[in-house]
Amino acid sequence: MTLIDGKAISAKVKEEVKIAAAGLSAKGVTPGLAVILVGEDKASATYVASKEKACVACGINSYPYHLSAQTAETALLELIDELNADENVDGILVQLPLPKHIDTNKILEKIDPSKDVDGFHAVNVGRLVSGLEAFVPCTPLGIMRLLAEYGIATNGANAVVIGRSNIVGKPMANLLLNANSTVTITHSRTKNLAEICSQADILVAAIGKPNFVTPDMVKDGAVVIDVGINRLENGKLTGDVDFDAVAPKCSFITPVPGGVGPMTIAMLLQNTITSARNRLKRSK
Ligand code: NAD
């Protein structure tokens, strides 16, 4: 069994980003990422802080917008309009979840698709499904990079994704399909889940339930990717996979923490670089 080291691969991606950012800055295009946080949710504030810190460490300008929980939807839409028009901003990220009085879809659809570094805009979703160049959500994009780094073949592989969210499950399934896997998407209403999962060469768990994936759901020699981040009562972080019981059956497995998690921010930075490169091309 090989442990997939997301920390090491994310460090490699960040190093690539640093070099690319310096090259772009030398040509007068310093990459910039606007990060919008609405409200005081603690977990969101922590995520946003790590994203802003990672930008600065890699030579990307960070434009933080920390707004009160009472911010009106119209005010947020106006801010996005301003950022859409701002030449120095290559990426716009709105940290989710938003307060209940704000329509999340309306906000995400307001972001210019060419600055949608989270890949949540319907234009980018459609482009991904069509197999066109697109901004792809960072977590599944990071998983594809992990598979590539470890030489894990997707071509013809039987891939099963547990979870159908717009952030992880659906884009993950589309990326694997585009990479020639035979893909099954499963979810909370799926019948015979364990049986379906036990056929998988590549099993991706994105559920949000600790220790959900047990050894009976895993084929001998499978690649198991654990996206889950669950905080246990004792404060410990754990994934969706019963790691100790499942790991001995796997050819490759991601740990939690230190597997998929670190890749998400690294791919956000990479997407921002892609957008800045597009800006440079437009300016020529
Ligand atoms: P979500 O709640 O939007 O989706 C969960 C999915 O799990 C749903 O599609 C649901 O149908 C499915 N599900 C729930 N119960 C099930 C069951 N009993 N059997 C089969 N499927 C079931 O969550 P999400 O945003 O996709 O996130 C999933 C997990 O991944 C969470 O733990 C989240 O914290 C984590 N996450 C991690 C990263 C990262 O950077 N590593 C990024 C995003 C999400």
Side-chain angles (χ1 to χ4, degrees):
M1 183 271 294
T2 302
L3 206 57
I4 294 180
D5 188 346
K7 259 194 188 166
I9 307 299
S10 71
K12 185 173 166 183
V13 174
K14 283 182 185 166
E15 211 42 55
E16 293 165 5
V17 165
K18 222 177 193 175
I19 293 165
L24 284 159
S25 290
K27 290 176 183 147
V29 176
T30 303
L33 176 66
V35 179
I36 304 174
L37 171 68
V38 186
E40 284 89 35
D41 180 74
K42 266 197 175 163
S44 293
T46 308
Y47 289 139
V48 161
S50 331
K51 288 168 187 176
E52 290 165 0
K53 203 172 136 197
C55 277
V56 174
C58 291
I60 293 176
N61 281 337
S62 166
Y63 303 106
Y65 293 86
H66 296 185
L67 312 177
S68 90
Q70 283 73 42
T71 302
E73 186 180 276
T74 47
L76 189 51
L77 290 168
E78 275 168 28
L79 171 60
I80 292 172
D81 257 341
E82 278 169 32
L83 296 171
N84 282 341
D86 187 337
E87 258 297 296
N88 294 314
V89 172
D90 297 295
I92 303 170
L93 179 150
V94 178
Q95 185 65 40
L96 301 180
L98 287 168
K100 285 200 175 68
H101 67 277
I102 297 176
D103 179 343
T104 301
N105 285 331
K106 212 167 163 183
I107 298 300
L108 295 181
E109 291 304 298
K110 189 72 175 171
I111 296 172
D112 183 332
S114 72
K115 298 190 177 190
D116 172 37
V117 285
D118 253 341
F120 296 156
H121 192 289
V123 165
N124 282 311
V125 176
R127 292 182 68 85
L128 169 62
V129 173
S130 304
L132 298 171
E133 210 170 287
F135 282 118
V136 174
C138 303
T139 303
L141 188 62
I143 292 170
M144 294 307 286
R145 175 73 187 251
L146 290 177
L147 296 177
E149 287 283 340
Y150 281 82
I152 296 166
T154 52
N155 205 348
N158 224 353
V160 175
V161 179
I162 318 177
R164 57 173 162 180
S165 72
N166 291 336
I167 294 172
V168 188
K170 281 187 213 162
M172 185 75 252
N174 280 299
L175 283 167
L176 287 164
L177 185 61
N178 291 349
N180 300 320
S181 294
T182 303
V183 183
T184 306
I185 308 178
T186 64
H187 47 80
S188 54
R189 309 285 175 91
T190 298
K191 289 178 184 154
N192 305 323
L193 181 69
E195 195 189 321
I196 296 168
C197 292
S198 68
Q199 308 290 313
D201 302 312
I202 300 172
L203 180 62
V204 181
I207 312 150
K209 293 191 172 160
N211 301 325
F212 183 89
V213 175
T214 46
D216 57 303
M217 299 167 77
V218 177
K219 182 165 114 174
D220 275 326
V223 175
V224 173
I225 306 293
D226 190 351
V227 186
I229 302 177
N230 308 291
R231 177 85 55 190
L232 299 178
E233 272 176 20
N234 63 10
K236 205 180 150 212
L237 269 193
T238 188
D240 289 344
V241 176
D242 183 352
F243 184 89
D244 292 341
V246 166
K249 293 189 83 173
C250 300
S251 55
F252 294 89
I253 187 166
T254 59
V256 177
V260 173
M263 294 303 290
T264 300
I265 290 184
M267 301 323 278
L268 170 70
L269 303 175
Q270 186 182 285
N271 281 350
T272 305
I273 293 292
T274 303
S275 183
R277 281 194 180 121
N278 292 341
R279 164 154 63 114
L280 179 64
K281 274 185 222 154
R282 282 196 304 272
S283 72
K284 277 182 182 166

